[in-house]
Amino acid sequence: MANQNGVFMGMDLRCQVNNHAHRTGEMDLERLLVRRGQPFSLALQCSTPLPPKHKLAMILHLGKEGEVVVKVLDARAGRDKWWFRQQRAQNEVLLTIHSPADAPVGIYSMTLLLLSPDGHILEQTTPETFYLLFNPWCKADSVYLSDEELLEEYILNENGLLYQGSWDQISSLPWNFGQFEQDVVDICFEILNNSPAALKNPEIDTANRADPVYVSRTITAMVNANDDRGVVLGRWDGKYDDGVSPTRWTGSVAILRRWREAGTQRVRYGQCWVFSGVACTVLRCLGIPTRPVTNYSSAHDTDGNLNVDYLYNEQLESVSEGRKDMIWNYHCWVESWMDREDLPKGYDGWQALDPTPQERSDGVYCCGPCPVKAVRDGDVGMKYDAAFVFSEVNADLVTWIVYTDGQRSQVSLNQKTVGRNISTKSVYGDYREDITKHYKYPEGSVKEREVYEKAGRRITQLNGGPGQLELKIRHAQAILGTDFDVIVEVHNVGGEDTPAQLTVTSNAVTYNSLHRGECQRRTASLTVPAQKAHKEVMRLRYDHYGACVSEHNLIRVTALLQASSQPDIILQEVNIPLSMPQLHVKVVGDAVVSRKLIAHISFTNPLPITLRGGVFTVEGAGLTAPRELQAPGNIGPGEDVKVKLSFKPTRAGLRKLMVDFDADRLRDVKGVATLIVRNRSTVN
């Protein structure tokens, strides 16, 4: 503090009182963390009462090097100014500081000055640090959200669900966001400080941090490590020996800490749900209401024509080359809530942000923030990246035949494949909420087609009406490690017998459509009687798919049908997620802060092969830091494996213990235990 002969004796930042009032008590009670637009207080202790005509002044420094200086006025000021009021009581002064609702977020350094009546500095305190965050509880803040239940979920909830699987077989993945875990807030600001803009011109970057549009776009770019000192490196080829398999992560905290501890070196490896989980953690921590979103049958349109183009030769073999259009089984991003003062009126609210590196935006691998309303209404010119997000949820699937002379002919059109069951976790519990209607009008409706035209594309149509043949694919429940049947049905709805060629393939694929190997292929020439159906049964054996199945445990069956008398080709695809074994987690003991608990974790190997190198990964916000437990030796077919973990909860409340199991031939086995932790003071 000041010299021993001075007036200033000490300063109490009143961290517990302020942090609880600002809803940051879960982050820390030893440091001052406050939200902009909301007053906070501190107490200045003095050796003697301050002389009546002497004044107090306050100076703030912001930025990595304190390059931005803010003078706090000592009288009530407008909403756009910092100001403080003081109440003197004998040897103590209570100061109440008011911040603007549009102040830059960041780590501030605060110094108090004692001024003589003529304005000379007589004494000053040693600088004290406080953190300023966005404030969605403040009406004047551009991230203001009026619904308290939504804020409980989108700011305060440290646990959540990320949705995976396929559009007709949706699965949920528990995720530990852990935005209030120790030092996570410091890591969030370190991410901002390492952005290219911050390194190039820290003063301008610091000032821009008043704007959630700027901050969220920066975070979206920095969560992936493609252009900068970003956090996570993406990889999709199954080769993860020099890092961590994306399926092994159970939350964001271990990733963020690993990035920081390695000196901002990229963490290997992530895929879309990992990128979205980390982005959600950082944005919630900074005070921007955020939720993870999953789009099923998500288009990746590489050429921006709002179509996904599949190319086949005359033998019905794929001939797409280079950066080809794809339909991902699912794709995860986040939405953040904010005003869009940089856009015409009407685009406030949820904004799509995608940190997965797919395409460059303004030369950088990031996407958004894009108003969800702009996507629904086909306003593809709105920044940022509305055309790309529009294609993800609303592109048409067009199939082409490429002839030997290079000419190609459009032979199939599907307007209802892309953008299904867009999902997020409900605020009312661990339930799925379908938000497809926020992104698009009902498929096939007049309004949906009008929007597609408005987006700049004419409505693609094929000549003639529907053909005589219809194609469907059905399958029994598919369990990893077992054999199962796929049934392809060709229905003739016409009045004449119809000859046709049917090709059926099954491939092991990743969730984002990368092929890992063909399991089986069958070609049949058939004649389908009028008003009858032909069935082809393909048995998929573990012997065929087990060696090449991806870590996502996904089989794609594609059927191509060409009637001899018609030019049209009918294409149908189904993605079959292989059901995973359950991982059982049972916690024994009374869940009390700082009291030891025991977790018993077990599961059974479902595969007809021995598993080697098994590892359990465990973490839980307020329960335990991320930890790894080695499985006790190899695990034979049908064999049970059990491990035991002891831990002491650090914070009270509803908590979730997340567990993952990975081995050489089996990945992404998840389990979760939910418990209510009580404070010791409430326990008799």
Side-chain angles (χ1 to χ4, degrees):
M1 193 42 83
N3 65 68
Q4 295 180 349
N5 299 321
V7 175
F8 295 153
M9 298 295 291
M11 191 190 302
D12 179 5
L13 298 181
R14 309 187 78 213
C15 296
Q16 292 205 16
V17 172
N18 287 317
N19 291 7
H20 282 307
H22 286 250
R23 299 173 177 85
T24 60
E26 288 284 310
M27 283 187 189
D28 205 323
L29 291 175
E30 304 298 322
R31 297 181 295 173
L32 181 58
L33 297 117
V34 294
R35 300 187 185 277
R36 65 185 193 177
Q38 181 176 342
F40 62 96
S41 61
L42 54 88
L44 176 66
Q45 287 98 24
C46 304
S47 59
T48 61
L50 293 181
K53 294 186 178 181
H54 285 54
K55 293 184 178 181
L56 286 176
M58 182 180 292
I59 301 293
L60 305 179
H61 290 266
L62 177 64
K64 196 171 183 181
E65 305 297 332
E67 51 270 358
V68 177
V69 180
V70 180
K71 183 178 180 182
V72 184
L73 305 177
D74 63 350
R76 185 181 184 90
R79 288 186 174 183
D80 61 339
K81 302 292 185 185
W82 285 85
W83 62 280
F84 72 92
R85 59 184 173 85
Q86 55 183 296
Q87 293 173 279
R88 301 187 183 188
Q90 297 181 335
N91 292 4
E92 191 169 58
V93 183
L94 181 67
L95 299 167
T96 303
I97 296 100
H98 296 256
S99 62
D102 61 352
V105 298
I107 303 174
Y108 284 74
S109 174
M110 172 175 55
T111 304
L112 281 173
L113 309 176
L114 180 62
L115 304 180
S116 65
D118 58 357
H120 286 92
I121 299 174
L122 301 177
E123 191 177 343
Q124 65 184 54
T125 62
T126 301
E128 296 280 1
T129 296
F130 70 91
Y131 296 67
L132 189 72
L133 306 175
F134 291 103
N135 191 355
W137 285 272
C138 174
K139 290 183 178 180
D141 196 312
S142 51
V143 300
Y144 172 67
L145 186 56
S146 60
D147 191 318
E148 188 66 35
E149 286 182 312
L150 300 188
L151 290 168
E152 284 286 334
E153 180 69 31
Y154 302 140
I155 290 289
L156 301 179
N157 195 351
E158 292 185 87
N159 301 298
L161 297 175
L162 309 178
Y163 288 97
Q164 298 179 320
S166 60
W167 71 270
D168 57 349
Q169 196 171 327
I170 294 172
S171 60
S172 60
L173 171 70
W175 192 263
N176 172 33
F177 295 116
Q179 66 268 27
F180 300 145
E181 288 287 87
Q182 185 176 10
D183 295 333
V184 167
V185 66
D186 298 276
I187 299 171
C188 293
F189 283 118
E190 200 166 336
I191 292 171
L192 289 173
N193 290 340
N194 278 276
S195 72
L199 296 172
K200 182 179 180 180
N201 193 324
E203 189 170 347
I204 292 176
D205 173 74
T206 298
N208 284 335
R209 293 185 194 178
D211 181 7
V213 174
Y214 178 86
V215 170
S216 63
R217 186 162 171 81
T218 301
I219 293 300
T220 303
M222 286 295 294
V223 164
N224 72 72
N226 281 50
D227 303 294
D228 40 47
R229 300 181 184 179
V231 178
V232 184
L233 184 64
R235 190 161 191 168
W236 287 265
D237 62 3
K239 300 174 182 177
Y240 311 120
D241 290 344
D242 59 341
V244 176
S245 168
T247 57
R248 195 155 141 195
W249 302 114
T250 52
S252 309
V253 179
I255 296 170
L256 292 168
R257 286 179 177 163
R258 185 174 295 208
W259 174 80
R260 185 194 207 190
E261 289 163 4
T264 70
Q265 292 297 307
R266 60 189 65 179
V267 177
R268 298 175 168 89
Y269 290 103
Q271 292 172 3
C272 74
W273 69 91
V274 179
F275 291 115
S276 68
V278 172
C280 188
T281 295
V282 175
L283 292 164
R284 283 186 184 180
C285 184
L286 294 175
I288 302 175
T290 302
R291 63 187 184 185
V293 170
T294 299
N295 176 40
Y296 289 94
S297 298
S298 186
H300 185 170
D301 174 23
T302 59
D303 56 10
N305 68 350
L306 303 188
N307 289 335
V308 172
D309 298 297
Y310 282 3
L311 308 180
Y312 295 91
N313 62 20
E314 293 176 86
Q315 287 72 47
L316 303 185
E317 298 168 329
S318 175
V319 292
S320 298
E321 295 181 352
R323 294 178 68 254
K324 59 185 179 182
D325 290 354
M326 292 185 293
I327 297 177
W328 294 23
N329 199 43
Y330 64 86
H331 182 46
C332 302
W333 58 73
V334 297
E335 290 177 358
S336 290
W337 182 272
M338 66 189 73
D339 291 344
R340 290 300 301 269
E341 296 172 4
D342 58 324
L343 296 179
K345 190 175 180 180
Y347 295 102
D348 299 338
W350 289 117
Q351 313 288 318
L353 291 147
D354 190 351
T356 300
Q358 295 185 83
E359 301 291 328
R360 291 187 184 274
S361 172
D362 292 341
V364 178
Y365 277 108
C366 68
C367 180
C370 166
V372 172
K373 183 180 182 299
V375 177
R376 187 192 66 187
D377 293 341
D379 298 328
V380 296
M382 290 297 156
K383 61 182 181 182
Y384 294 89
D385 312 303
F388 185 78
V389 181
F390 181 89
S391 288
E392 287 184 303
V393 302
N394 217 11
D396 287 349
L397 172 59
V398 184
T399 306
W400 304 81
I401 292 292
V402 180
Y403 300 100
T404 53
D405 62 359
Q407 297 294 313
R408 66 183 191 176
S409 174
Q410 181 184 324
V411 293
S412 178
L413 171 67
N414 191 325
Q415 298 174 337
K416 299 181 180 180
T417 292
V418 168
R420 293 180 163 187
N421 291 347
I422 303 174
S423 302
T424 191
K425 177 187 172 298
S426 169
V427 299
Y428 302 111
D430 290 345
Y431 315 110
R432 186 182 71 88
E433 180 182 348
D434 193 299
I435 56 173
T436 309
K437 64 183 180 182
H438 297 173
Y439 280 87
K440 60 199 296 189
Y441 292 96
E443 281 288 8
S445 67
V446 172
K447 186 67 175 177
E448 187 257 353
R449 289 290 91 187
E450 286 177 357
V451 166
Y452 193 80
E453 274 195 287
K454 178 184 177 183
R457 298 295 157 193
R458 63 181 179 83
I459 302 302
T460 308
Q461 291 181 332
L462 288 170
N463 296 326
Q468 289 193 132
L469 300 183
E470 296 177 350
L471 185 62
K472 295 180 180 178
I473 304 174
R474 297 188 292 111
H475 62 88
Q477 183 181 13
I479 300 173
L480 182 65
T482 66
D483 305 339
F484 60 94
D485 290 336
V486 175
I487 302 167
V488 180
E489 298 179 351
V490 182
H491 293 262
N492 186 347
V493 297
E496 299 178 359
D497 296 354
T498 304
Q501 177 106 341
L502 176 66
T503 300
V504 184
T505 64
S506 61
N507 291 275
V509 296
T510 62
Y511 80 97
N512 62 330
S513 288
L514 299 179
H515 283 232
R516 290 285 174 80
E518 186 172 277
C519 305
Q520 287 173 280
R521 172 182 287 264
R522 180 177 298 176
T523 301
S525 296
L526 46 98
T527 298
V528 189
Q531 300 297 315
K532 300 285 186 180
H534 174 89
K535 294 183 180 180
E536 287 281 331
V537 180
M538 177 183 283
R539 168 145 284 208
L540 292 177
R541 303 184 185 277
Y542 180 76
D543 290 347
H544 293 146
Y545 70 77
C548 60
V549 70
S550 75
E551 64 268 28
H552 307 118
N553 301 305
L554 189 67
I555 302 295
R556 175 171 293 170
V557 176
T558 304
L560 283 161
L561 180 69
Q562 185 171 27
S564 302
S565 59
Q566 301 170 16
D568 291 6
I569 286 177
I570 304 174
L571 169 72
Q572 288 288 345
E573 280 187 344
V574 296
N575 295 307
I576 306 175
L578 303 173
S579 296
M580 299 291 288
Q582 279 195 318
L583 195 155
H584 300 283
V585 185
K586 183 179 180 180
V587 178
V588 179
D590 290 332
V592 179
V593 171
S594 299
R595 184 176 294 179
K596 187 168 83 169
L597 294 172
I598 302 293
H600 296 274
I601 304 165
S602 63
F603 96 109
T604 304
N605 177 11
L607 303 184
I609 58 173
T610 297
L611 299 176
R612 294 175 172 82
V615 178
F616 293 89
T617 304
V618 185
E619 73 172 296
L623 295 176
T624 178
R627 296 162 68 177
E628 289 187 354
L629 301 171
Q630 300 295 322
N634 297 334
I635 309 166
E639 186 178 331
D640 293 334
V641 59
K642 298 179 181 179
V643 294
K644 187 168 67 172
L645 167 77
S646 66
F647 63 97
K648 293 181 180 179
T650 57
R651 289 185 283 133
L654 182 69
R655 302 292 171 193
K656 293 192 177 185
L657 187 70
M658 316 287 192
V659 186
D660 168 82
F661 175 80
D662 272 17
D664 59 339
R665 295 289 295 275
L666 180 66
R667 298 183 185 274
D668 206 17
V669 184
K670 305 292 185 186
V672 62
T674 303
L675 53 157
I676 298 174
V677 180
R678 293 173 294 165
N679 281 311
R680 301 182 78 168
S681 59
T682 64
V683 179
N684 293 330

